[in-house]
Amino acid sequence: MSRSPIVVMKFGGTSVGDVARVRGVADIVARYRNEHPGVGVVVVLSAMAGETNRLVSLAKECVDRPSPRELDVLLATGEQVTIALLAMRLQQLGVQSKSLLAPQARISTDSRHTNAQIEQIDCTAVEEVIARGGVPVVAGFQGIAESGDITTLGRGGSDITAVALAAALRAETCFIYTDVPGVFSTDPRMCREAKLLERVSHEEMLEMASLGAKVLHTRSVYFAMRYSVPLVVLSTFEGPFRPGRNGTWIVSEEELMEKPVVTGVTHRLDEAQITIEALPDAIDAMARLFDALSERDVYIDMISQESVGGDVINVSLTVPDDQSIVALETIRALIPDLQANGVAVERDIAKVSVVGIGMRYHTGVAARGFRCLARENIDVQMINTSEIKLSVLVARKYCDAAVRALHAEFTGDLSAVESSNP
């Protein structure tokens, strides 16, 4: 797909956290325009850091259960403030600029309030500003339904707006400015040896985001992968982007010169393990169990079963911790019908994952990972795999040690994975 000489620059809440930072963002945009005179620039902004939470708190102070429609009207005001401030500042710097709310930018969504999906973007208004030599400053996180109602896009909404605009405009690059220098091989707060990654594939980033890396939301990465949008994640506060020295490119697999076996090690602490004890080993019992959880919209991650003698098994599964109460209530109501002994929950767990596009081309990653954990005397409770990831469930007290050990194991000579079966 041919691309237009346009870039999208998205700045998160910390980047526009106060007026001084808004002025700093204006300097970044103006400098980029001066250095790239033939490139159109579109800016997407979040609300100031903490503003969306403040507005949610206001709503809950006013009523016990805010109407989703009215909540969206309220939440959308956060971005209205930042886009107006930035447009004002750019104009003062001599850069033509125009702020655009979602209806003006024609970002059409479905009608699911507080978690809407973008259906279409008519780029006419944005392109008109660019054609006149200006910088459109677009409100992230929001859209407009067919009914004319304001909607919001849920978690990661401003990233989604930026990637969707980049896809619709066929932009060369979508820059995601945040408060971290880029994507690291693991959490640098947990492991001092974490490395800033120069390039990551969309598929790897999607897995890493879903498995605990908090740099980007999974929905925005999926959008970028689906429409082949090149992303760059970089810090607002560390000077201009210099390829190879700061920032991380997120691109299609075909654009990677090298495909390391393991790219990163991630972790999650927000899951719960639920075990159904002494469940009859019959497929219809399993079907009833998972049908009931599906009807309650409970997301199931890992599943394992263990024979406990006779024709009964213990079935363990993991769910997001915020869904664990619903899952427990659902399963407890089924226990008599399933003829199981009971159900137990364990929240003191961690999921640690090894991710890499090269895992689909090399064998021995699992063997090497399990040997690494065995040397650290870390017991593995559950396992989940895909072509490019290996996830293990461990006791939470071992999370840090598991992450550091696996990171040390796989971020040395990544080509030295043994040629044994996984």
Side-chain angles (χ1 to χ4, degrees):
M1 180 182 69
S2 62
R3 298 197 177 276
S4 303
I6 294 173
V7 299
V8 175
M9 307 173 78
K10 180 265 175 179
F11 294 87
T14 53
S15 300
V16 290
D18 54 35
V19 172
R21 289 188 172 183
V22 171
R23 291 162 67 100
V25 166
D27 290 342
I28 292 172
V29 175
R31 182 170 60 242
Y32 189 94
R33 284 258 304 180
N34 291 335
E35 293 175 354
H36 303 83
V39 178
V41 176
V42 180
V43 179
V44 175
L45 296 185
S46 299
M48 290 182 174
E51 179 64 7
T52 301
N53 289 339
R54 186 186 74 84
L55 293 171
V56 170
S57 297
L58 279 177
K60 290 182 176 178
E61 285 179 23
C62 186
V63 294
D64 293 334
R65 294 184 179 179
S67 157
R69 180 191 182 280
E70 303 309 329
L71 188 60
D72 274 355
V73 173
L74 176 64
L75 298 184
T77 63
E79 285 72 27
Q80 186 167 346
V81 172
T82 52
I83 63 171
L85 290 173
L86 182 64
M88 292 175 192
R89 181 61 181 172
L90 285 171
Q91 292 164 10
Q92 184 169 318
L93 294 176
V95 177
Q96 294 182 53
S97 183
K98 183 177 182 179
S99 62
L100 297 171
L101 296 168
Q104 297 168 308
R106 302 177 190 175
I107 300 172
S108 301
T109 72
D110 60 25
S111 56
R112 285 181 285 184
H113 287 290
T114 73
N115 195 33
Q117 306 282 318
I118 294 176
E119 294 183 338
Q120 184 180 0
I121 298 179
D122 178 348
C123 295
T124 304
V126 171
E127 289 173 334
E128 285 177 353
V129 178
I130 296 172
R132 293 195 298 268
V135 174
V137 182
V138 181
F141 180 62
Q142 59 183 245
I144 184 167
E146 187 177 0
S147 62
D149 288 341
I150 293 292
T151 59
T152 61
L153 307 181
R155 290 184 59 197
S158 293
D159 286 350
I160 295 165
T161 302
V163 175
L165 265 173
L169 291 163
R170 302 183 306 281
E172 294 177 347
T173 310
C174 180
F175 293 97
I176 305 293
Y177 285 85
T178 182
D179 56 357
V180 296
V183 181
F184 284 84
S185 55
T186 195
D187 188 340
R189 296 167 299 182
M190 183 178 291
C191 179
R192 288 181 296 180
E193 287 73 32
K195 302 174 182 178
L196 182 65
L197 301 172
E198 184 175 342
R199 284 181 176 258
V200 179
S201 74
H202 288 123
E203 192 173 358
E204 287 171 321
M205 193 66 242
L206 186 61
E207 286 279 18
M208 291 170 68
S210 68
L211 295 169
K214 295 180 172 58
V215 177
L216 291 171
H217 194 272
T218 52
R219 285 173 63 193
S220 63
V221 181
Y222 174 75
F223 220 112
M225 182 170 70
R226 180 179 177 185
Y227 293 102
S228 300
V229 177
L231 303 179
V232 177
V233 178
L234 69 164
S235 173
T236 308
F237 312 110
E238 294 196 0
F241 174 55
R242 299 181 300 277
R245 298 184 61 185
N246 65 348
T248 301
W249 280 95
I250 302 170
V251 296
S252 63
E253 180 182 349
E254 292 75 19
E255 295 181 61
L256 293 178
M257 295 296 291
E258 297 181 10
K259 296 179 176 64
V261 179
V262 171
T263 296
V265 180
T266 65
H267 72 284
R268 295 193 70 144
L269 302 176
D270 58 349
E271 295 195 5
Q273 180 182 17
I274 297 176
T275 301
I276 300 94
E277 299 166 348
L279 179 72
D281 188 8
I283 193 64
D284 64 325
M286 296 283 277
R288 279 179 286 164
L289 169 66
F290 289 104
D291 277 345
L293 292 170
S294 176
E295 288 171 4
R296 299 293 300 276
D297 291 325
V298 175
Y299 173 76
I300 308 297
D301 184 10
M302 307 171 93
I303 305 171
S304 70
Q305 66 180 48
E306 175 191 13
S307 175
V308 290
D311 294 325
V312 296
I313 56 174
N314 287 345
V315 175
S316 294
L317 50 93
T318 61
V319 301
D321 199 17
D322 60 6
Q323 294 186 337
S324 61
I325 293 175
V326 172
L328 274 174
E329 291 173 349
T330 304
I331 295 170
R332 281 182 179 139
L334 282 174
I335 290 297
D337 184 46
L338 294 175
Q339 298 180 343
N341 279 3
V343 59
V345 62
E346 173 61 64
R347 292 188 172 87
D348 195 21
I349 58 170
K351 181 170 71 174
V352 179
S353 305
V354 171
V355 178
I357 202 85
M359 290 171 66
R360 63 163 55 114
Y361 310 111
H362 295 76
T363 61
V365 174
R368 188 172 172 184
F370 291 132
R371 283 200 301 273
C372 170
L373 295 173
R375 287 196 299 270
E376 302 293 322
N377 295 315
I378 297 173
D379 290 329
V380 173
Q381 300 175 21
M382 298 177 73
I383 304 164
N384 193 5
T385 65
S386 75
E387 275 193 319
I388 67 166
K389 72 123 186 266
L390 167 68
S391 295
V392 295
L393 196 72
V394 300
R396 185 171 298 190
K397 64 182 179 181
Y398 296 128
C399 179
D400 289 18
V403 167
R404 286 193 289 265
L406 289 169
H407 187 267
E409 179 72 20
F410 287 113
T411 57
D413 179 8
L414 297 179
S415 65
V417 177
E418 300 169 10
S419 298
S420 58
N421 290 327

